[in-house]
Amino acid sequence: MGEWLEATVTEKICWNDSLFSLRFEAPLPAFKAGQFVRVGLDVDGERIARPYSLVNAPGETPHEILFNLVPEGPLSPRLARLEAGDTLFVHSSVTGTMTMARTPEHRRLWLFATGTALGPFLSMLKTEEPWQRAERVVLCHSVRHVSDRVYDDTIRELLKRHGNRLTFVPLVTREVVAGALRERIPAALASGDIERLAGIALRPEDAHVMLCGNSDMIEAVQQQLESRGLRRHRRREPGHITVEKYH
Ligand SMILES: Cc1cc2nc3c(=O)[nH]c(=O)nc-3n(C[C@H](O)[C@H](O)[C@H](O)COP(=O)(O)OP(=O)(O)OC[C@H]3O[C@@H](n4cnc5c(N)ncnc54)[C@H](O)[C@@H]3O)c2cc1C
């Protein structure tokens, strides 16, 4: 269902040599924060398309994706070469289940992202819904190098707006950076560092957890959480953990 729509790039942000955001205008239908869109380019007469989460909040324009260049990949290096004024294609069926509407009742929302998976969480946190539902939100973002950190301004703005209801836990795994944990998310959860920084416990009574990005992180964290009594959330079997794997 749905159709391909033509989109025009309005801006490219180069965070570093292999990390980019593309902003584009496209007549996409209404979507929910946390959802993704298929983005495509025509290469040798064939449309190559991949899913990308929207970083902009619903109603916010232009649309925006955050991605890293996978050198051997067929699409991401070509997306990285686009400039303002270029055309790309987006599919009209914006979709995905990692949304607040699909999330059961909770008082504490825990968001764990690796790399570019920060994007859908920013889209969500810019909306009112998480703040109407949760007393506290903990956003953990893991990157390898400090140069992979993105959207610091947006995070600062969210922290200003929501005060101590939001805790941001940056993790930089391959460099020593002031104010950041030098651990991967699974290790930082196992050591208790994340809960210590948040000042609250991650427990099944009041938590909902969203895991997005790298499958190794997702599987390792899910295993730990299951040993603490949390379980995958499914529509017919409500639980505590929502997952979206990028690769
Ligand atoms: C639901 C969903 C949402 C996604 N949203 C995003 C997003 O918002 N931003 C984003 O950067 N990517 C996202 N991805 C991954 C994205 O769709 C592409 O796979 C990625 O951009 C590489 O595309 P490619 O065509 O160049 O290479 P592909 O042929 O897709 O992949 C080549 C290789 O790179 C690996 N790979 C894929 N993505 C990454 C990555 N981000 N980092 C390192 N290795 C990777 C793949 O596992 C594969 O081994 C998402 C994937 C899914 C399933």
Side-chain angles (χ1 to χ4, degrees):
M1 289 304 133
E3 56 178 335
W4 284 104
L5 307 167
E6 219 172 89
T8 306
V9 176
T10 57
E11 190 183 347
K12 176 166 75 174
I13 302 169
C14 304
W15 301 101
N16 62 39
D17 288 350
S18 58
L19 186 60
F20 305 87
S21 292
L22 278 182
R23 294 187 171 147
F24 56 90
E25 299 282 2
L28 280 176
F31 67 93
K32 294 189 169 59
Q35 291 192 311
F36 58 86
V37 65
R38 288 179 68 215
V39 174
L41 287 174
D42 289 346
V43 180
D44 300 330
E46 194 194 334
R47 183 148 305 162
I48 301 176
R50 296 284 184 270
Y52 292 93
S53 300
L54 289 165
V55 183
N56 55 303
E60 187 183 19
T61 56
H63 297 296
E64 183 160 344
I65 58 170
L66 167 68
F67 64 97
N68 49 346
L69 190 161
V70 178
E72 70 281 11
L75 185 65
S76 57
R78 290 180 166 90
L79 288 180
R81 287 199 289 271
L82 294 178
E83 297 293 346
D86 287 343
T87 297
L88 52 83
F89 297 93
V90 290
H91 202 268
S92 64
S93 52
V94 191
T95 183
T97 55
M98 197 181 67
T99 62
M100 290 306 297
R102 297 267 193 132
T103 304
E105 284 314 302
H106 57 272
R107 287 184 20 235
R108 295 171 176 176
L109 180 62
W110 300 79
L111 307 173
F112 295 92
T114 56
T116 55
L118 177 69
F121 293 150
L122 294 184
S123 174
M124 259 179 223
L125 294 178
K126 285 192 259 178
T127 69
E128 292 307 314
E129 212 178 348
W131 309 104
Q132 287 162 351
R133 299 191 53 194
E135 289 165 12
R136 291 287 309 274
V137 177
V138 181
L139 171 63
C140 302
H141 182 219
S142 172
V143 294
R144 287 180 179 171
H145 301 284
V146 72
S147 60
D148 299 325
R149 280 179 50 171
V150 290
Y151 295 110
D152 277 352
D153 290 352
T154 307
I155 292 165
R156 258 196 302 273
E157 182 58 37
L158 287 167
L159 287 165
K160 208 165 98 188
R161 197 180 321 156
H162 299 289
N164 55 15
R165 291 181 67 196
L166 173 64
T167 303
F168 177 56
V169 181
L171 301 96
V172 181
T173 58
R174 297 196 184 172
E175 282 173 56
V176 178
V177 177
L181 296 175
R182 195 184 176 187
E183 295 173 286
R184 289 167 191 261
I185 289 173
L189 191 60
S191 67
D193 282 347
I194 290 177
E195 287 157 291
R196 214 167 9 254
L197 284 175
I200 52 174
L202 198 172
R203 50 187 199 185
E205 295 93 286
D206 54 18
H208 192 80
V209 182
M210 293 185 179
L211 306 174
C212 191
N214 175 290
S215 22
D216 290 344
M217 179 281 280
I218 291 175
E219 279 154 28
V221 171
Q222 191 177 326
Q223 221 170 21
Q224 279 191 51
L225 295 178
E226 283 172 356
S227 72
R228 296 186 189 197
L230 291 90
R231 55 176 195 278
R232 262 303 270 278
H233 173 66
R234 300 183 200 281
R235 206 186 249 186
R236 293 209 187 112
E237 220 182 309
H240 318 85
I241 309 168
T242 307
V243 160
E244 187 159 278
K245 289 184 182 174
Y246 279 7
H247 60 97

